[in-house]
Amino acid sequence: MTLKYDVVIIGGGHAGCEAASAAARMGARTALLTHRRDTIGVMSCNPAIGGLGKGHLVREIDAMDGLMGRIADAAGIQFRLLNRKKGPAVRGPRTQADRRLYREAMQEAIASIENLDVIEGDAFDLLMNGRQLSGVTLKNGRTISCRTVVLTTGTFLRGLIHLGERKIPAGRMGEEPSLGLSATLERFGLRLGRLKTGTPARLDGRTIDWENVGRQGADDEPVPFSFMTDRINNRQIECGVTRTTAATHKIITDNLGKSAMYSGQIMGVGPRYCPSIEDKIVKFGERDGHQIFLEPEGLDDNTVYPNGISTSLPENIQQEFIRTIPCLEHVVILQPGYAIEYDHVDPRELSSTLEVLKIPGLFLAGQINGTTGYEEAGAQGLVAGLNAALVCGGNDPHVFSRTNSYIGVMIDDLTSRGVSEPYRMFTSRAEYRLSLRADNADVRLTPDAISLGMVSAERQHRFQCWARTFETAKASLMALQVTPNEARKFGFHINQDGQRRSAFELLSYAEHSIGSLARLWPELSAIEPKIAAALEIDATYAVYMEKQAADIANVKREESAEIPEYFDFSILSGLSNELVQKLTLTAPRNLAQVLKVDGMTPAAASLILAYLRRDTVQSVPPKKAIQ
């Protein structure tokens, strides 16, 4: 008997879990198809969530009532707010996670979601009804009928592990790769490429000299990821810190020819911002050492993740160079490091909803789109699952704008520019990062999630209560006024211009806080700490937000000027042949993306905009449409 669903999610990693959760929360009958139920939520590489840019994505996933933030809070064993001494816009929440606790919490969350079934199996092909996707065929011949599919295959598409000269077909160590789906995507004419990533050896923590290693502790007051988390309950740990040595570098240099990356075996491009130790030695040879963080993988697990020495050297060379590192002289390796090469799809094949342009009903999320990292994958999964469910319900898609979310920045980057290396999120990628802060993700996105109907009643009630309390407190600050002379009596030194200033205006000064303003207005001391902190940040950035408002409005207008699919730019007289070629290759979806095309001139942009405003727009048929 053929199983029937609205949405089928293929892959149980971070993208798949968020996609399945989002689709099911939208009311779609959803199936999560994975090789093994017990691998759902596995942290394949570094057992950590968040960081600079990445932490913003986790907060945005949570603001849409996604899973990652809550699961990270349940499993976190070392919370740190990165860039704490800098402005709120660039602070990044991060936690070291207990690998087992994370996996178990994710599996428990998935099992508790209504409208969601987990099916064990290997997706092999897609079923089509003309140009419309209609189901999935499994490797064993079984079929699942559905209206939409979200592919979240991670590193499994023709995955190939490299360990020295050894090559092991695998999606990750010990698990078979997915072979059929790559052929399916090629048959439909999608552009595929090869990328690579890597992981370091896993060490036995009982054989590390912890007494002499450097230490990095957790924050005294952990900052949770989720709006729904009141406190962190797990015991917090320290991580070790050590460095490579000249002896380490010599061993690696002498054996570069045995590394899969430097022997010519790997054709895929690796992540520039997470290089292997071989890359570090070759590209930064002048350094006398590279920092390594020794990160325990769990409270009750002796396994340690040595963050900073990802490698594809043979096992015996790994053991040799690792034992030249201080405090690792007698360490035992539990699992060698390796590189993994896999297929990805050019993300320019996708719309801004992550739907494949050539295959209506098929959505892609995660590393299949050329990204790297749990957080990037989870954010894409949320977008794909949400929109797959909207398609099933016959509703308009939901597009995240780069003006109001890091999710929107990432998806616009991917679909307009493509990738030449695994994409990683940074705060520097956002033009409006002063307004896209980790602390205000809920204010920016939760109202949209509520209107979409994908938020639990508990979150909706808590958020609306918080928002009312915040707005009431802000209105009170705006109403409280003081003259420069009155302020001076209480020790506040402001410009003696005779102008009255509100408490909210005074709060924008770096030296002022709710606590200090309570000297003038004692009633302010009753504001609860979380609301006070939010008000202080809001006041600090208020003047910048006013200045950015016009720019953001312009970008939104440009994003709304949509370009039809397969638009023929050659029909526009006045565009140079070079620009026509670039526009055809990049296939911009709206005017905002047109303006980013290399070599675009104001005159050419105006020409395109004028044409788009006409009542009729000519287009050409798909060159590789499914027959």
Side-chain angles (χ1 to χ4, degrees):
M1 182 178 70
T2 300
L3 299 173
K4 294 184 179 181
Y5 291 92
D6 295 320
V7 183
V8 171
I9 314 296
I10 298 176
H14 301 279
C17 288
E18 294 296 348
S21 173
R25 295 201 310 277
M26 291 294 292
R29 293 170 301 162
T30 306
L32 176 57
L33 178 63
T34 180
H35 285 170
R36 288 166 39 196
R37 185 186 300 263
D38 63 358
T39 62
I40 290 174
V42 164
M43 306 182 88
S44 302
C45 194
N46 185 14
I49 295 292
L52 301 179
K54 290 171 174 285
H56 289 69
L57 289 176
V58 180
R59 289 285 294 115
E60 292 182 355
I61 292 170
D62 183 72
M64 300 294 292
D65 210 15
L67 300 175
M68 185 173 282
R70 280 176 283 162
I71 304 304
D73 288 343
I77 55 178
Q78 195 208 51
F79 282 83
R80 297 179 64 236
L81 185 62
L82 307 184
N83 277 351
R84 184 182 286 273
K85 294 181 180 180
K86 297 184 179 181
V90 293
R91 292 174 188 163
R94 182 190 189 274
T95 186
Q96 185 70 19
D98 183 305
R99 192 186 295 275
R100 177 183 61 81
L101 291 179
Y102 191 95
R103 182 184 70 250
E104 291 176 351
M106 183 62 79
Q107 291 177 11
E108 182 180 351
I110 291 293
S112 69
I113 297 174
E114 295 182 4
N115 302 318
L116 176 59
D117 294 333
V118 176
I119 301 173
E120 291 187 326
D122 184 357
F124 189 77
D125 203 353
L126 301 177
L127 296 174
M128 305 297 298
N129 182 9
R131 290 194 66 235
Q132 182 63 46
L133 187 146
S134 61
V136 178
T137 300
L138 307 188
K139 192 175 181 180
N140 62 9
R142 193 179 181 187
T143 61
I144 303 175
S145 173
C146 61
R147 299 180 63 184
T148 57
V149 169
V150 182
L151 267 184
T152 68
T153 48
T155 60
F156 279 73
L157 283 185
R158 286 198 287 231
L160 185 63
I161 283 177
H162 294 266
L163 183 51
E165 295 181 353
R166 292 172 59 197
K167 296 181 181 181
I168 308 167
R172 57 182 166 228
M173 188 65 81
E175 297 186 48
E176 292 186 0
S178 176
L179 302 176
L181 289 176
S182 283
T184 297
L185 297 174
E186 285 181 325
R187 188 174 76 246
F188 290 146
L190 300 187
R191 298 186 295 271
L192 301 186
R194 294 287 275 179
L195 293 174
K196 85 96 182 174
T197 188
T199 191
R202 303 303 195 273
L203 310 180
D204 186 338
R206 294 167 296 187
T207 60
I208 293 174
D209 181 8
W210 289 107
E211 290 187 5
N212 294 304
V213 76
R215 296 300 182 96
Q216 181 186 72
D219 288 346
D220 293 334
E221 296 183 11
V223 177
F225 282 100
S226 178
F227 184 79
M228 303 299 289
T229 301
D230 293 319
R231 68 183 62 86
I232 300 301
N233 296 317
N234 289 332
R235 173 170 60 88
Q236 299 295 286
I237 65 164
E238 291 183 323
C239 291
V241 184
T242 185
R243 297 179 68 84
T244 58
T245 65
T248 313
H249 297 187
K250 185 176 188 310
I251 292 171
I252 293 171
T253 301
D254 290 346
N255 290 278
L256 274 179
K258 298 176 183 178
S259 166
M261 273 299 297
Y262 283 88
S263 64
Q265 295 184 55
I266 295 179
M267 303 304 294
V269 180
R272 184 184 0 157
Y273 303 103
C274 188
S276 67
I277 187 62
E278 294 98 302
D279 277 338
K280 291 179 181 179
I281 302 306
V282 170
K283 296 176 181 178
F284 308 102
E286 74 282 359
R287 297 189 182 179
D288 59 1
H290 295 275
Q291 195 169 51
I292 303 166
F293 293 94
L294 303 175
E295 301 173 341
E297 295 200 349
L299 296 174
D300 303 314
D301 190 343
N302 293 315
T303 307
V304 170
Y305 182 98
N307 193 344
I309 53 171
S310 172
T311 182
S312 62
L313 283 162
E315 293 180 55
N316 63 316
I317 305 300
Q318 290 187 41
Q319 179 167 295
E320 187 178 351
F321 86 70
I322 288 175
R323 288 186 172 180
T324 65
I325 297 169
C327 302
L328 303 183
E329 292 88 349
H330 306 289
V331 77
V332 172
I333 294 177
L334 299 176
Q335 176 186 294
Y338 60 85
I340 184 166
E341 196 175 14
Y342 56 93
D343 285 350
H344 79 98
V345 174
D346 185 335
R348 290 173 295 184
E349 298 277 13
L350 309 175
S351 73
S352 55
T353 65
L354 298 184
E355 186 175 20
V356 177
L357 296 170
K358 296 170 184 173
I359 313 176
L362 178 63
F363 294 77
L364 308 184
Q367 284 179 284
I368 191 173
N369 291 337
T371 60
T372 180
Y374 306 146
E375 303 81 3
E376 290 86 349
Q380 291 172 73
L382 183 142
V383 174
L386 162 62
N387 281 292
L390 288 172
V391 166
C392 292
N395 299 305
D396 292 334
H398 182 77
V399 176
F400 289 78
S401 169
R402 66 185 300 128
T403 65
N404 76 346
S405 65
Y406 273 85
I407 294 176
V409 171
M410 174 178 63
I411 292 176
D412 184 59
D413 284 349
L414 292 171
T415 58
S416 65
R417 301 173 183 173
V419 296
S420 57
E421 63 182 340
Y423 179 97
R424 181 177 181 179
M425 177 51 69
F426 295 104
T427 55
S428 58
R429 295 189 186 274
E431 300 92 330
Y432 307 110
R433 58 183 177 274
L434 295 184
S435 58
L436 305 185
R437 306 186 306 274
D439 65 89
N440 70 354
D442 308 286
V443 175
R444 290 185 280 114
L445 297 179
T446 298
D448 287 344
I450 291 173
S451 65
L452 287 165
M454 63 186 305
V455 169
S456 68
E458 181 185 4
R459 181 183 288 266
Q460 180 171 340
H461 174 72
R462 178 180 285 211
F463 173 76
Q464 289 175 338
C465 287
W466 185 93
R468 283 195 298 269
T469 302
F470 176 85
E471 290 302 330
T472 299
K474 183 175 179 179
S476 297
L477 290 175
M478 300 286 284
L480 295 171
Q481 303 276 326
V482 66
T483 66
N485 284 333
E486 292 170 337
R488 186 167 54 183
K489 294 177 183 177
F490 287 87
F492 294 98
H493 301 289
I494 59 178
N495 189 10
Q496 297 295 305
D497 55 7
Q499 297 294 318
R500 298 180 68 86
R501 290 174 174 81
S502 70
F504 188 75
E505 288 178 274
L506 292 181
L507 199 58
S508 68
Y509 293 26
E511 64 271 21
H512 296 163
S513 66
I514 293 291
S516 66
L517 293 182
R519 299 203 306 269
L520 261 171
W521 299 284
E523 63 269 32
L524 297 184
S525 61
I527 298 176
E528 60 182 275
K530 287 186 177 180
I531 296 293
L535 287 167
E536 289 168 1
I537 295 173
D538 193 57
T540 298
Y541 287 104
V543 63
Y544 302 104
M545 298 306 95
E546 293 174 6
K547 292 178 179 179
Q548 280 190 358
D551 292 338
I552 289 174
N554 286 335
V555 172
K556 286 183 176 179
R557 282 194 295 270
E558 292 163 359
E559 289 178 336
S560 66
E562 296 182 354
I563 297 174
E565 189 176 335
Y566 306 108
F567 180 71
D568 185 4
F569 288 96
S570 67
I571 66 175
L572 300 182
S573 59
L575 289 183
S576 68
N577 290 334
E578 181 184 7
L579 266 182
V580 168
Q581 291 175 359
K582 289 180 178 179
L583 288 164
T584 302
L585 177 64
T586 57
R589 315 283 193 266
N590 53 52
L591 185 64
Q593 293 183 357
V594 164
L595 297 176
K596 298 173 190 170
V597 172
D598 183 39
M600 178 58 58
T601 64
S606 298
L607 181 65
I608 295 171
L609 178 60
Y611 197 86
L612 290 175
R613 287 173 175 167
R614 294 185 182 182
D615 292 334
T616 59
V617 180
Q618 300 180 44
S619 61
V620 296
K623 297 179 180 178
K624 295 183 180 179
I626 301 166
Q627 302 300 319

